[in-house]
Amino acid sequence: MIREIRRYGDPVLFQQAETVEKIGEEELGILTDMWDTMIQNRCVGLSAPQIGVSKRLFIVNAGGVVIKGANPEVLKEGTLVEEMEGSPCIPGIQRPIRRPGKITCRYLDISGETVETELKGVAARAFLHEKDHHDGILFLDHLKLIQKRMIQKSLEK
């Protein structure tokens, strides 16, 4: 089922999401809805807070990598790379954001296994972007304060 994407200003986007103890039927249902919503909105990833669910569930579908999982962690970061980033929570706004071009990460997959892997390029960027959502961080928070304030003023109109 396609769910509504929460927009900038919705309190769920600024909260710490709950850790997922295990991926059961409820979590699989949420991940299925997230997948449908991500495809409908032409995204390369989605986190549960973006559909109003304050759980550390995420999807990445970028750079030939597909991940459906929970509790994303970053173990190691590579060199920073600046690339354009946006979010369906803040439609129509994209800005260059500096993030590691390569990461070693860990997450709980849908079978309940802990996976540790290396991601590069857009897959690493999407993983980090979705992980940020679990901590109430939006891509705007990576901008210089003056840039962030200018965008926030335009969003408040």
Side-chain angles (χ1 to χ4, degrees):
M1 170 175 72
I2 296 170
R3 302 242 197 140
E4 176 186 351
I5 297 277
R6 300 302 175 99
R7 303 289 183 188
Y8 181 85
D10 189 311
V12 74
L13 296 174
F14 303 100
Q15 297 172 355
Q16 291 284 322
E18 295 175 24
T19 299
V20 174
E21 297 303 322
K22 69 180 184 89
I23 298 182
E25 282 187 43
E26 178 185 359
E27 290 78 15
L28 288 172
I30 293 167
L31 284 164
T32 297
D33 289 352
M34 287 169 60
W35 181 267
D36 295 344
T37 303
M38 178 190 66
I39 296 299
Q40 176 71 25
N41 287 275
R42 297 183 178 101
C43 306
V44 296
L46 202 68
S47 68
Q50 290 178 283
I51 62 165
V53 178
S54 190
K55 291 189 175 195
R56 291 181 179 273
L57 293 168
F58 74 101
I59 293 177
V60 169
N61 183 23
V65 174
V66 175
I67 301 171
K68 296 178 184 179
N71 308 328
E73 298 176 70
V74 176
L75 305 174
K76 185 178 175 186
E77 297 182 348
T79 306
L80 294 177
V81 177
E82 188 171 81
E83 291 190 15
M84 293 299 279
E85 214 169 294
S87 175
C89 298
I90 310 170
I93 295 179
Q94 293 187 339
R95 292 293 184 273
I97 303 295
R98 292 174 57 87
R99 294 195 189 265
K102 181 170 83 171
I103 60 171
T104 301
C105 60
R106 180 171 43 214
Y107 62 92
L108 184 67
D109 75 5
I110 60 173
S111 68
E113 298 295 319
T114 298
V115 175
E116 193 172 306
T117 190
E118 184 178 279
L119 298 175
K120 298 177 185 175
V122 69
R125 181 169 294 275
F127 185 95
L128 293 165
H129 180 108
E130 303 318 329
K131 179 188 174 303
D132 275 356
H133 275 296
H134 296 156
D135 295 321
I137 298 169
L138 302 177
F139 79 94
L140 297 180
D141 296 320
H142 292 279
L143 296 172
K144 291 180 180 166
L145 187 57
I146 187 83
Q147 294 172 311
K148 181 179 172 181
R149 284 192 178 151
M150 288 174 59
I151 293 170
Q152 285 173 321
K153 280 184 182 181
S154 71
L155 292 171
E156 291 168 1
K157 291 181 182 180

